[in-house]
Amino acid sequence: ALLGRFEGFGVVTGRPRAEAVWTLRRHLSGVDGALVAMEDTAEDKPHPEPVLRGQRLAGGRTAAYVGDSVDDMAAATAAGMFAVAVLGPGRTWQSGWPERLYLAGADVVFADINEAVAWLAREGD
């Protein structure tokens, strides 16, 4: 497994499936994982339904959810998942975003996705 104690891998997005597939093929070629797109659930984030569906499709019993929005953190928290936040493009530690993400339920905040994945990999060992 990529992240030790976290089983499987999935992507949950509010974007349409066709757009998500195109983006994943362009940026994550060779990574096989579950995909939950806009048309796959009745509810959108911050409701937990999309992230819970992603967890089921990925086959995991425990899950960490990585996201960059307040809705991502609220959905992960409502789903009972470990909420990992990353600062989006143009957001800095002084921007107020770390505080907003923590208030929305983030368990931890990282500067970017690379730091978050490295930390999750270490935690899973």
Side-chain angles (χ1 to χ4, degrees), residues 10-22 24 33-45 49-51 53-54 57 65:
V11 173
V12 178
T13 181
R15 305 249 183 225
R17 177 170 291 280
E19 183 180 322
V21 167
W22 182 87
L24 289 170
L35 172 62
V36 177
M38 176 180 75
E39 54 270 68
D40 294 328
T41 59
E43 299 288 341
D44 296 324
K45 295 179 280 183
E49 181 187 3
V51 296
R53 181 177 172 94
L57 290 173
Y65 186 81

Side-chain angles (χ1 to χ4, degrees), residues 50-93:
V51 296
L52 288 170
R53 181 177 172 94
Q55 181 182 10
R56 280 192 307 276
L57 290 173
R61 287 169 292 189
T62 60
Y65 186 81
V66 181
D68 66 355
S69 74
V70 168
D71 284 352
D72 287 332
M73 297 303 101
T77 300
M81 296 178 181
F82 190 80
V84 180
V86 294
L87 298 178
R91 296 181 181 157
T92 66
W93 292 108

